Amino acid sequence: MFYHHTLPLPIDNNPFDFGQHPYSIFGRNNFWYYYSRNGIDIKDLFDPSKKPKVYDNPDHVTQPSDDSVPIVVGDNIPKDPTKFDFTCYFKILKTHLLGQNIMMNLELKNDVYLCLQLLSMTQQGLTILADQQQQQTDSTTTINSPDKQFICPLGSLVFSFKLQKVDSDLKHHLQKLLAIAMVDSISTRTAVQSQKVDIKVKFVKGSISQDIYANNQKIGGILTEYSENDDRFDVNLGAGINVHDSTFSLNRITGGSPTNLIVGREDILANFFNNFESMYFTLIHKGLEPFKERLSQISI
């Protein structure tokens, strides 16, 4: 069967081998595209020991012989390879750091959790974006077996990013901040407000993933992962939202259709980062207290 929700899968269901080459998680493309609002060199966003192989033309990409990640940059990047409008997105984005630099792939063969693994190679300030993801639900079957796949629909919003050197007393609050920022980004879209769609999060204590609902219909989820770094923590955060092209997508729930897209992924992602970056600075200085009322309002 097919699962029509863009949801992170639990670690126990993840067949990814941590020694697996990032090349093997690609679907339609065997490389990444890179988009930057501020012109930062993509190599500066990677760990010095894990620099990517950079190409200026997708036709020149070859499978690396080492563990480097192939990335296409420059004038030959398709303007809109996934119908995600980066020009529109960058116009809405108001952050100082988050969301400014994006690695994008049309389709990943694994779930949001694997996007987070790629972040282990990179520095803070890089976002990983995908248009679609697919995941084996049974590691004994092939990825092409139609009844053994996790599939999120085309037009989903699947992204991950990293925060570095987070204090230990703040790291567990970041999942709550992630939830609030995502709910507020979705809830403030005009179509969502006009249809009075109720966006909520179902928190499961101790879980690294939490589900997001629209009018009690599951439309996505969020995911967090922590790794200790010199008494502080690197925190990888991810989310997947069914925005378009699904019976249970946000676009359908708000009255849209495949030919009438009234909710934009660009708006949701840019406003998410606008919300989250501001909230994160508040969390650092004031803790969780300023967010407790809003957290209660969005919780199921």
Side-chain angles (χ1 to χ4, degrees):
M1 64 180 294
F2 286 84
Y3 293 82
H4 296 288
H5 299 295
T6 307
L7 295 173
L9 295 182
I11 293 177
D12 291 344
N13 291 339
N14 178 16
F16 181 76
D17 180 348
F18 280 85
Q20 182 177 344
H21 192 285
Y23 195 98
S24 62
I25 72 173
F26 303 149
R28 279 180 282 166
N29 281 350
N30 58 1
F31 55 85
W32 295 84
Y33 293 110
Y34 174 62
Y35 295 83
S36 177
R37 183 184 185 184
N38 50 25
I40 289 180
D41 189 326
I42 182 61
K43 292 183 179 180
D44 293 337
L45 294 170
F46 271 71
D47 185 289
S49 64
K50 299 176 181 178
K51 296 291 187 183
K53 285 192 178 297
V54 178
Y55 301 84
D56 60 6
N57 190 321
D59 295 333
H60 297 162
V61 176
T62 59
Q63 183 168 352
S65 57
D66 54 18
D67 62 354
S68 59
V69 177
I71 298 175
V72 174
V73 300
D75 295 337
N76 286 312
I77 292 180
K79 180 180 179 182
D80 192 13
T82 65
K83 298 183 176 61
F84 186 95
D85 189 335
F86 282 92
T87 300
C88 173
Y89 166 75
F90 284 133
K91 283 182 179 179
I92 301 169
L93 190 69
K94 306 297 182 186
T95 62
H96 296 285
L97 173 65
L98 299 180
Q100 297 273 342
N101 306 288
I102 294 182
M103 280 176 58
M104 185 276 300
N105 199 286
L106 301 182
E107 177 186 305
L108 302 181
K109 288 184 179 178
N110 291 284
D111 65 0
V112 174
Y113 185 78
L114 300 186
C115 289
L116 299 182
Q117 302 315 306
L118 185 58
L119 288 174
S120 67
M121 301 181 178
T122 63
Q123 307 293 332
Q124 181 171 275
L126 182 66
T127 298
I128 296 174
L129 177 69
D131 187 54
Q132 187 179 29
Q133 63 185 16
Q134 62 177 358
Q135 168 73 60
Q136 283 177 254
T137 57
D138 183 342
S139 59
T140 64
T141 61
T142 65
I143 196 70
N144 294 318
S145 176
D147 59 345
K148 293 293 185 179
Q149 289 182 4
F150 167 89
I151 296 284
C152 80
L154 284 168
S156 297
L157 177 62
V158 183
F159 70 98
S160 305
F161 65 103
K162 173 193 280 188
L163 296 176
Q164 291 181 305
K165 297 182 178 179
V166 176
D167 289 341
S168 59
D169 58 339
L170 296 180
K171 69 182 179 73
H172 291 299
H173 296 327
L174 289 176
Q175 187 181 73
K176 299 180 179 69
L177 233 61
L178 177 65
I180 295 172
M182 181 53 68
V183 168
D184 286 353
S185 177
I186 297 172
S187 298
T188 52
R189 300 309 94 218
T190 301
V192 176
Q193 290 182 325
S194 65
Q195 295 295 319
K196 298 181 179 180
V197 178
D198 189 28
I199 309 297
K200 299 278 190 178
V201 178
K202 184 177 182 179
F203 288 99
V204 178
K205 188 175 181 179
S207 175
I208 65 168
S209 63
Q210 313 294 347
D211 296 338
I212 297 178
Y213 291 79
N215 290 347
N216 297 316
Q217 173 62 58
K218 192 183 300 182
I219 61 166
I222 59 173
L223 181 70
T224 53
E225 180 208 33
Y226 314 101
S227 59
E228 192 166 0
N229 185 359
D230 295 331
D231 296 326
R232 303 179 86 182
F233 289 83
D234 289 348
V235 184
N236 297 331
L237 304 104
I241 305 294
N242 285 355
V243 181
H244 303 153
D245 296 344
S246 168
T247 303
F248 304 116
S249 70
L250 187 61
N251 187 61
R252 293 286 185 92
I253 291 172
T254 53
S257 69
T259 57
N260 180 26
L261 303 180
I262 59 177
V263 181
R265 293 180 294 169
E266 299 82 2
D267 283 348
I268 293 175
L269 185 59
N271 281 287
F272 164 80
F273 279 123
N274 293 342
N275 293 340
F276 186 88
E277 185 173 275
S278 174
M279 292 167 61
Y280 181 51
F281 290 139
T282 300
L283 179 72
I284 291 173
H285 293 102
K286 299 182 179 181
L288 190 64
E289 188 62 34
F291 306 105
K292 286 184 176 179
E293 181 178 357
R294 183 59 181 146
L295 188 62
S296 175
Q297 292 170 347
I298 70 166
S299 300
I300 295 177

